[in-house]
Amino acid sequence: MVSGLALVIRGQFGDNGSMPRTVAAASLAVLLGATWRTPAGGTSRSAALADALRGLVVDGRVAPGTRLPSERDLAAELGVSRGSVSRAFQRLEEAGYLIARRGAGSTVTLPAGARPAEPPGPAREGELDLSVAALPAPDPLLAEAAARAVTALARHLPGLGYAPAGLPELREALAARMTARGLPTTADEVLVTAGAQHGLRLVIDLLVGPGDRVLVDAPGYPRTLAAIRAARGRPVPVPLGERSWDADGWAGAARVAAPRLAVTVPDFQHPTGIVMRAADREAIALTCARAGTVLVSDEACVELRLDGPALPPPLGAYDPGGTVVTVGSMSKAAWGGVRIGWVRATARVIRELTTVRGAIDMAGPVLDQLVGVELSHNWDAVIASRRTLLHERRSALFTALAEHAPAWTVRRPHGGTSAGARLPTPDATRLAAAAASTGLLLSPGPAFSVDGTFEHHIRLPYTLPPETLHDAVARLAQLARELGTETRATSPSSGDAAAAVI
Amino acid sequence: MVSGLALVIRGQFGDNGSMPRTVAAASLAVLLGATWRTPAGGTSRSAALADALRGLVVDGRVAPGTRLPSERDLAAELGVSRGSVSRAFQRLEEAGYLIARRGAGSTVTLPAGARPAEPPGPAREGELDLSVAALPAPDPLLAEAAARAVTALARHLPGLGYAPAGLPELREALAARMTARGLPTTADEVLVTAGAQHGLRLVIDLLVGPGDRVLVDAPGYPRTLAAIRAARGRPVPVPLGERSWDADGWAGAARVAAPRLAVTVPDFQHPTGIVMRAADREAIALTCARAGTVLVSDEACVELRLDGPALPPPLGAYDPGGTVVTVGSMSKAAWGGVRIGWVRATARVIRELTTVRGAIDMAGPVLDQLVGVELSHNWDAVIASRRTLLHERRSALFTALAEHAPAWTVRRPHGGTSAGARLPTPDATRLAAAAASTGLLLSPGPAFSVDGTFEHHIRLPYTLPPETLHDAVARLAQLARELGTETRATSPSSGDAAAAVI
């Protein structure tokens, strides 16, 4: 194989007349938002447009392999000159984000050295990565679990190594843990997956086809949107309320969209950190049951409570019957390098998901599952070690914010791994681009939206060491001041701003 | 969550008017073939039809969650009475393979205790499983690799554990191995996956959309078909020749189908065991390059050569540029419980596949990858241990076949893990059903086809211990005699039948 991708691209993009992956000019205009129209001093309109397009690619909102609209169509849609669009495309091509082919339009790609959306690899030398919300492994608990797992492995080596639904002992352990958390579960109601994302993807592959609507939190987890789009479903955003979910909004969306599936993160929602009230759990589960909508509850962070009131019972506990499917993970609560998650559903659905898995990755690794078993034996200690770290780092983040970014509105979450910050001006994408150019990576609000909204917001994980977090916030606040985001306020800050920033 | 699946099914199947997964009566008729029309003595037509339908579900040719055509439509298509179809559906419902809902048709599912298509879990007590072609772990090499991996893990624990494209040291090791096999490869041209199937699925997710055509070997690996169908692509079978591939057939199919993708297993093809000749490699790679078709070469068994002539250079070595993507795996060559595979493509495609992975399972487990690194350090010994086992077991299989099933045509493959056997009569599905009822599991030929053909064929893995293989063949041959497959020959056996059965 030589260097060229020419034939791959040709195969991919419709020389044969079949359906290419495209983004229409109107959709792209929505995703682009309006920030690029008022570039910072010294930046041309076409450079700002190129930056905005690059932001969409880097955030995963426009997938590699997508064909862009023609320069002419996009210019007409945006109401700018074709020359501006043409110069923007040329910039992107030079930077390695576009492949232009005469007569076949421009296709989005990733240049050498580009980092896909979270989670990328380990931070590079000199990089400060606020785009990942992940902790180092619990020491020495993980190393000990791995050592015990190797001992337990001996018993499995004479077998064939395939357990598509998961090792029985791990299914038992996960079921027991869910039962203890208030969600009575048997082992045959558990499928072991390679993480919560993998579990969600299996459910989507089982239930969602082209054009099917899926309700999602707005803002919500970017990879949820990516998984829905991979199945060619249509995510339908339901805006979150200020302190919980908007149950009436859910009822209305379910009525209008007739969704096949809905996905929510009820405990320390990502990226806002809020918790769904018990009454909203009950109402939303009932709404979905009535609409015939399967409701996926993503519990990746449920065990990372740090303070505040006790959590309501799991969303699955409000299930009137066969509506709620729960996904969870050790990869967030223990360590990202252990790829163990689960789906909890009826035994019948678990069997169907196991078959779906056969067309994806067949089965999970035995050794990693044995690590999961060993971790589960010591789970309280694992969680305690995570909480200690997160407590300390959350404090560091909020101390730094109070010192360096007093104008930002940030509510201190009671658990999970990150907080959402509201900037005084809708400049999140611009701030993220400026930060990236200095080696500071950041997820801007639009990365968490279906439609490019949330430009006032950035996500701030508190997973880096305290001194690193302090440094990152100081640099970010300085960049924001340079961009003028502190002085061009376009919307009033919310009522509880002062109280929220501690 | 209580027991019912009612709401899941309602959500899944179009109460809301969106697109359900269905199989049309005409397609189902093709999949069913004709064998059920001439049931063995004492079996009713409707029972035979029910058995044939169950075979399609168990083989994964009709996926769980698929809605069947109405009884009336299917009866008309098959030219039988509606009562026959109705009784067949009722049998399936009683056996737990169908869920019938008034007004919403019948939906395929899996009953408690059903085994999805290969690989299922470990064989149950008393079961003899010829449906899986997998070996126990190489002893003590795997245990030693796991122990060393735990030591190597310590260095990774302070990190976040995410390496979406794979641990650098494993990418290096895999690239070095491919280079040594005649396929010069750099680490950035390698994506570490959870097995060859996972790698293939990533390529399909990147390139194949609804309705896109994908050329496949006929017969071919069932999970390849499942992965194509999961992306709603259309597999286009290209019949294999007697001893190699039909390069002219490929050229014709590429012209007519204008496929986006093609998938083949050039080395010890699954299930036939044949090897693609060098001239055919060159011709097929060129055909795909000219058609703008990406050609996936699945090399899961390439290192399991037992005897015969040296293999031609890898298919990727014939790539005129950017056409061939190679997938491979340690899971077949080392142990199924180690889920390590890879994709080899241009660095740019690898970056795009890494992004696709983000919507599936994000990254692989660190410890399992370290086991892969350790195995790669000792790879020649691992492969040697596999070859020793496979040599011995292949001999046992062919000795048993010569003794018990002299009328079957079986060519001794020069490598891989299984042989294809041709029965004197087209009764593979019936034989598999009869065997299953005695606890002997078997993959009939139609499981390897797009259209229910290959009823003359069964796959015989030589991965079980010699005495077990002998027992299995003896029981299978006895069942075949009871079904009359030895005495109702309907087609002449091929010219080299005698030579082929050793």
Side-chain angles (χ1 to χ4, degrees), chain A residues 1-5 7-8 10-14 16 18-21 64-65 96 99 108-114 116 119-122 132 134-137 142-143 146-147 150 153 156-164 189 194 197-198 201 205-210 212-213 221 223 226-227 230 232 258-260 289-294 316 319-325 331-332 335-339 344-346 348-349 351-352 354-356 358-368 371, chain B residues 1-5 7-8 10-14 16 18-21 64-65 96 99 108-114 116 119-122 132 134-137 142-143 146-147 150 153 156-164 189 194 197-198 201 205-210 212-213 221 223 226-227 230 232 258-260 289-294 316 319-326 331 335-339 344-346 348-349 351-352 354-356 358-368 371:
Chain A
M1 191 184 299
V2 298
S3 65
L5 184 71
L7 290 165
V8 172
R10 202 185 324 154
Q12 189 171 351
F13 291 102
N16 53 30
S18 61
M19 199 189 309
R21 197 184 325 170
I99 299 172
V108 166
T109 185
L110 290 171
V132 182
L135 292 171
L142 196 79
V150 168
L153 181 66
H156 293 270
L157 297 177
L160 306 185
Y162 289 107
E189 292 170 336
Q197 177 73 21
H198 186 229
R201 178 59 184 263
D205 270 21
L206 179 64
L207 296 178
V208 177
D212 285 341
R213 280 154 294 206
Y221 188 47
R223 284 175 195 280
R232 291 174 164 74
R260 172 150 306 178
R290 286 188 178 135
T293 301
V294 172
D319 187 358
T323 290
V324 179
V325 170
S331 303
K332 203 81 178 174
W335 188 45
V338 173
R339 307 303 305 154
R344 174 191 181 274
T346 63
R348 187 187 292 278
V349 171
R351 288 194 296 277
E352 299 193 351
T354 306
T355 298
V356 170
I360 295 185
D361 64 347
M362 294 168 69
V366 172
L367 184 55
D368 214 43
V371 172
Chain B
M1 191 184 298
V2 298
S3 64
L5 186 71
L7 290 165
V8 172
R10 197 177 336 147
Q12 190 170 350
F13 291 101
N16 53 31
S18 61
M19 200 188 307
R21 198 183 325 171
I99 299 171
V108 166
T109 186
L110 291 170
V132 181
L135 292 171
L142 196 80
V150 168
L153 181 66
H156 293 268
L157 297 177
L160 306 185
Y162 288 107
E189 292 169 336
Q197 176 73 21
H198 185 229
R201 177 60 183 263
D205 270 21
L206 180 64
L207 296 177
V208 177
D212 285 340
R213 281 154 294 209
Y221 186 47
R223 284 174 196 280
R232 292 174 162 76
R260 172 151 304 179
R290 284 188 179 135
T293 302
V294 172
D319 186 358
T323 290
V324 179
V325 170
T326 302
S331 303
W335 188 46
V338 173
R339 307 303 306 154
R344 174 191 180 274
T346 62
R348 188 187 292 275
V349 171
R351 287 194 295 278
E352 298 193 349
T354 306
T355 297
V356 170
I360 296 186
D361 64 348
M362 295 169 68
V366 171
L367 184 55
D368 214 43
V371 172

Side-chain angles (χ1 to χ4, degrees), chain B residues 351-408:
Chain B
R351 287 194 295 278
E352 298 193 349
L353 291 171
T354 306
T355 297
V356 170
R357 177 176 207 171
I360 296 186
D361 64 348
M362 295 169 68
V366 171
L367 184 55
D368 214 43
Q369 292 185 75
L370 292 171
V371 172
V373 171
E374 297 300 332
L375 286 174
S376 75
H377 291 161
N378 219 3
W379 195 242
D380 290 336
V382 170
I383 293 296
S385 90
R386 312 285 82 189
R387 286 183 180 143
T388 303
L389 268 189
L390 289 169
H391 247 300
E392 174 192 58
R393 295 177 177 194
R394 187 186 59 175
S395 292
L397 174 68
F398 279 81
T399 302
L401 285 168
E403 180 179 340
H404 297 290
W408 300 0

Side-chain angles (χ1 to χ4, degrees), chain B residues 254-304:
Chain B
R255 210 164 33 238
V256 172
R260 172 151 304 179
L261 193 72
V263 185
T264 190
V265 182
D267 309 290
F268 315 120
Q269 198 266 350
H270 193 104
T272 63
I274 65 174
V275 172
M276 192 187 288
R277 281 187 304 228
D280 295 329
R281 291 177 194 236
E282 186 173 6
I284 287 172
L286 196 61
T287 285
C288 288
R290 284 188 179 135
T293 302
V294 172
L295 173 59
V296 176
S297 173
D298 181 343
E299 295 192 341
C301 284
V302 66
E303 303 203 78
L304 298 179

Side-chain angles (χ1 to χ4, degrees), chain A residues 118 196-197 200-201 204 208 214-217 219-231 233-236 261-265 269-270 296 298 327 447-448 450, chain B residues 358-360 362:
Chain A
E118 180 211 10
Q197 177 73 21
L200 173 64
R201 178 59 184 263
I204 287 173
V208 177
V214 181
L215 300 191
V216 295
D217 295 334
Y221 188 47
R223 284 175 195 280
T224 299
L225 305 179
I228 293 165
R229 289 183 176 129
R234 281 189 288 161
V236 176
L261 193 72
V263 185
T264 191
V265 182
Q269 198 265 351
H270 193 104
V296 176
D298 180 342
V327 302
F448 302 91
V450 172
Chain B
I360 296 186
M362 295 169 68

